[in-house]
Amino acid sequence: EAARVVIATGSRPNIPGFLKDAKDRLVVNDDIFEWDDLPGSVAVFGPGIIGLELGQALSRLGVRVRMFGVSGSLGPLQEEAIRNYALKTFNEEFPLDTRAKVRSVERTDDGVRIRFSGADRSETTETFDYLLAATGRRPNVDSMDIQNADIAEDDHGSPLFDHYTLQCGDSHIFIAGDANNEVPLLHEAADEGRIAGDNAARYPDVRAGLRRVPLGIVFTDPQIATVGMTLNEVDERCKGGYAVGEVSFEGQGRSRVIGANKGLLHVYGERGSGLFLGAEMFGPAAEHIGHLLAWALQKRMTVSEMLTMPFYHPVIEEGVRTALRDLNRKLDIGPQPIEHCLDCGPGG
């Protein structure tokens, strides 16, 4: 018996039943790092974060890769224009179908035989040495008999909890990290562990903890970054009272010089207040640009205030300024004297 409980049991790979027909040639992400040498070919199921990162890495190491998706999703990308751009870019390296129709998976003497239909509806059969299941993760709460704890659960049997306190209902039970299946990222899990631990220790004096601005990064090439609200969330909050600024990195100076001129950045702002609300990006240096935008968002900066910040020349971050200027115009916010002064330099 315990007066307070913190559930932090993590998660495990979630493998659809039909993939198990690959038998001993079925692997998950952890298995790859135990290989002593590389196979000739790998079929990757799931173009999410793990699938994209490992699939592209294997392809660049010389492994023949084909990636299969079902729902049309691609990593964390929500905007159709950016998703289509990224999909086209990845397909330049290896076949990636986000809406594949897989007919069968079979273990044979030669490996794993997969029969599938592509976008043109033609049926194809290919054999791979291994099948990598990158089809998401499942919280490790299903074998804990949580139904006996007298707390509410969702449709999947996971405890319902408060986002800011991590408390399950008004109980003495708290849940943190991958176990709650909300935001399975290390920096979020670290914050949640602190919040849940503090609240469990001081229970029943439960307090809201600091939840940082959402920030997600995918370490592909080009990289992917998501910051703050998605475009759908912006639309729901602002009821159409918002604008989207954009920039293509194909013509961005520094990106062209270093041969990394692929990608798009979209930034969102609220009409009237001018507040910066979020961004989605597929392009160069997204891991760094994502941090800059997340910091600005957490400080509740307006788009105009962000444009008063320094931008060196020539750097990739100048593309961020281009997107913010485009957003500022679309928000109907007039020229900012400080920005123009900084652009002109001393005495300008």
Side-chain angles (χ1 to χ4, degrees):
E1 295 182 4
R4 301 91 181 262
V5 176
V6 175
I7 300 173
T9 47
S11 64
R12 65 184 185 276
N14 182 42
I15 303 175
F18 77 98
L19 295 185
K20 296 178 182 179
D21 291 336
K23 299 181 180 177
D24 60 319
R25 294 302 178 94
L26 173 66
V27 295
V28 295
N29 57 300
D30 292 343
D31 298 325
I32 289 179
F33 297 97
E34 300 297 326
W35 284 345
D36 294 323
D37 53 19
L38 291 170
S41 57
V42 174
V44 180
F45 277 75
I49 295 172
I50 293 175
L52 287 175
E53 290 178 344
L54 291 181
Q56 186 182 57
L58 289 171
S59 177
R60 292 190 173 189
L61 287 168
V63 178
R64 177 172 64 87
V65 169
R66 178 179 285 275
M67 193 172 297
F68 299 88
V70 176
S71 64
S73 63
L74 186 66
L77 296 172
Q78 300 293 313
E79 287 204 55
E80 184 177 3
I82 299 180
R83 186 169 59 244
N84 289 342
Y85 190 109
L87 181 60
K88 178 182 177 182
T89 302
F90 286 125
N91 266 288
E92 293 172 359
E93 295 191 47
F94 53 87
L96 195 174
D97 186 350
T98 60
R99 295 188 183 275
K101 303 293 184 184
V102 177
R103 307 300 180 184
S104 65
V105 173
E106 180 184 4
R107 173 70 165 100
T108 68
D109 292 340
D110 297 323
V112 182
R113 184 164 58 206
I114 300 174
R115 186 165 57 93
F116 60 94
S117 299
D120 59 359
R121 298 180 181 270
S122 62
E123 192 169 288
T124 304
T125 299
E126 286 190 35
T127 299
F128 301 86
D129 293 327
Y130 287 94
L131 188 158
L132 169 62
T135 45
R137 299 184 68 84
R138 182 176 181 178
N140 292 327
V141 297
D142 51 331
S143 61
M144 299 178 65
D145 288 332
I146 282 183
Q147 70 275 6
N148 297 324
D150 195 28
I151 54 177
E153 304 172 32
D154 63 18
D155 294 338
H156 302 287
S158 294
L160 296 177
F161 63 97
D162 183 275
H163 172 76
Y164 295 97
T165 66
L166 285 308
Q167 184 182 20
C168 299
D170 59 358
S171 74
H172 61 291
I173 301 173
F174 303 82
I175 187 166
D178 285 13
N180 66 36
N181 204 34
E182 186 178 42
V183 188
L185 298 171
L186 179 59
H187 68 281
E188 295 282 1
D191 286 346
E192 291 182 355
R194 178 62 180 268
I195 294 168
D198 284 350
N199 277 330
R202 68 165 65 98
Y203 178 82
D205 180 17
V206 176
R207 304 175 188 176
L210 171 65
R211 301 310 305 264
R212 302 175 208 268
V213 160
L215 170 63
I217 295 168
V218 183
F219 294 98
T220 50
D221 179 24
Q223 295 178 334
I224 296 171
T226 57
V227 177
M229 295 183 182
T230 66
L231 187 57
N232 286 338
E233 290 170 338
V234 169
D235 185 51
E236 183 177 342
R237 163 181 162 151
C238 300
K239 308 300 181 185
Y242 67 90
V244 180
E246 58 184 83
V247 64
S248 168
F249 286 91
E250 292 183 358
Q252 199 275 322
R254 175 68 172 173
S255 301
R256 290 180 61 190
V257 168
I258 64 176
N261 55 322
K262 286 186 178 181
L264 296 171
L265 166 64
H266 287 185
V267 289
Y268 319 135
E270 183 178 42
R271 286 187 178 276
S273 70
L275 283 171
F276 172 62
L277 298 176
E280 185 168 292
M281 177 179 179
F282 173 74
E287 62 180 295
H288 305 299
I289 290 173
H291 276 84
L292 294 177
L293 295 175
W295 294 349
L297 182 54
Q298 187 150 320
K299 295 299 291 184
R300 296 180 172 85
M301 295 179 71
T302 65
V303 178
S304 297
E305 288 172 332
M306 294 168 72
L307 283 168
T308 67
M309 297 294 104
F311 290 87
Y312 202 78
H313 173 78
V315 294
I316 293 174
E317 283 77 5
E318 286 182 295
V320 177
R321 181 174 60 184
T322 300
L324 291 173
R325 282 175 168 171
D326 183 46
L327 177 56
N328 222 31
R329 283 192 296 269
K330 292 175 179 176
L331 289 173
D332 299 322
I333 296 173
Q336 301 300 303
I338 296 179
E339 179 199 347
H340 285 276
C341 182
L342 289 175
D343 282 346
C344 294

